[in-house]
Amino acid sequence: GYQRRVHGIPDVYESTDFDFSGAMAFDKSQNYKTKSMLVLPMKNKDDDLVGVIQLINKQENSQTIDFTQEDELLIKAMASLATMIIENNQLVIDLEALLYGLIDSVNKALSEKSLYTQKHNDNVATLTNIIANGINNNKTIYGDVEYSDVEMEEIRLSAMLHDIGKVTTPVHIMDKATKLETIYDRLHTIKLRFGFAKKKKKKKKKKLCVD
């Protein structure tokens, strides 16, 4: 396989081209007899080696026979298909890693942006996972509800992304101490308005008393 070409070996015990000490040791430990072998490299479109297919002891009428050229052609086609499947699976894994990396970067950015929301998304994701697992394990109220592995992952991702809009939220809003606080404390303004209204009302009462 490391030579990146097909190798057909009629009898590994008689071959001097390769080191089959591993196969021989396996035979000895398992009371087995390796004879014919066909080894094919699995290469992708960039000619990179992604794996090796190894077939041992072709059988015909309970006898071990040599692998033929027809066998090589068939296994080459199967190797190409298997390589494509491996590449596609790796692509999905890489895309998932990219997605989780992006989510992690966003959460870190939110944590750096405001001390009040540090680890908030992680905590929400953890609590959501605990609640979802609790629902799955509950056989009374939620007996008819059972989240699959895919649904559990969707729930976790949703929890991790629930605050993504805060990336563009101004810091003075993110860090407000009360509902009415903005760049300055508007509660003070409202107190002044109420004080002004009270004084105005008192003046009006005095004027009525004088009249």
Side-chain angles (χ1 to χ4, degrees):
Y2 68 90
Q3 294 183 352
R4 304 197 176 203
R5 60 188 180 88
V6 178
H7 295 287
I9 299 96
D11 192 331
V12 299
Y13 282 85
E14 295 180 2
S15 175
T16 57
D17 296 330
F18 304 98
D19 179 12
F20 289 108
S21 57
M24 294 176 183
F26 174 84
D27 289 352
K28 186 176 181 180
S29 65
Q30 301 297 320
N31 193 27
Y32 187 73
K33 179 63 182 294
T34 301
K35 187 177 181 183
S36 61
M37 184 180 292
L38 182 63
V39 182
L40 298 92
M42 299 170 62
K43 296 182 288 186
N44 62 15
K45 57 181 176 55
D46 297 320
D47 203 39
D48 296 326
L49 187 67
V50 299
V52 175
I53 293 179
Q54 183 185 65
L55 304 179
I56 298 174
N57 289 358
K58 179 181 179 180
Q59 298 292 305
E60 185 176 282
N61 298 325
S62 301
Q63 298 293 321
T64 301
I65 62 175
D66 298 346
F67 289 96
T68 64
Q69 288 188 340
E70 288 77 10
D71 295 328
E72 291 186 14
L73 292 174
L74 176 61
I75 301 305
K76 279 182 179 178
M78 294 178 64
S80 297
L81 180 60
T83 302
M84 187 184 304
I85 294 172
I86 291 174
E87 289 281 284
N88 288 340
N89 285 341
Q90 187 59 51
L91 179 61
V92 172
I93 292 171
D94 291 343
L95 288 174
E96 286 182 351
L98 179 62
L99 173 62
Y100 286 111
L102 177 61
I103 293 172
D104 186 56
S105 297
V106 170
N107 287 340
K108 285 181 179 178
L110 288 173
S111 294
E112 292 294 328
K113 189 172 185 178
S114 173
L115 294 175
Y116 297 104
T117 58
Q118 280 189 346
K119 300 295 182 180
H120 169 68
N121 284 344
D122 292 338
N123 292 337
V124 170
T126 300
L127 290 172
T128 302
N129 187 64
I130 292 172
I131 293 170
N133 278 320
I135 291 174
N136 271 355
N137 295 329
N138 187 289
K139 303 304 178 185
T140 55
I141 300 175
Y142 301 103
D144 58 339
V145 179
E146 185 172 356
Y147 298 118
S148 65
D149 291 342
V150 174
E151 289 172 329
M152 288 291 289
E153 189 63 17
E154 289 174 351
I155 291 170
R156 191 171 79 90
L157 285 176
S158 299
M160 293 175 70
L161 289 170
H162 80 279
D163 259 355
I164 194 170
K166 287 184 178 178
V167 171
T168 59
T169 304
V171 176
H172 70 270
I173 295 178
M174 289 273 289
D175 287 351
K176 67 183 187 303
T178 62
K179 291 183 178 180
L180 297 176
E181 183 184 339
T182 176
I183 297 176
Y184 67 97
D185 191 353
R186 289 193 292 177
L187 280 176
H188 179 65
T189 303
I190 292 176
K191 288 177 181 178
L192 289 175
R193 288 178 180 175
F194 273 102
F196 177 75
K198 286 179 180 179
K199 288 180 180 179
K200 189 176 180 180
K201 190 173 183 180
K202 285 180 180 179
K203 286 182 180 180
K204 190 175 182 180
K205 284 184 178 180
K206 287 181 180 180
K207 187 177 180 181
L208 289 173
C209 289
V210 171
D211 293 342

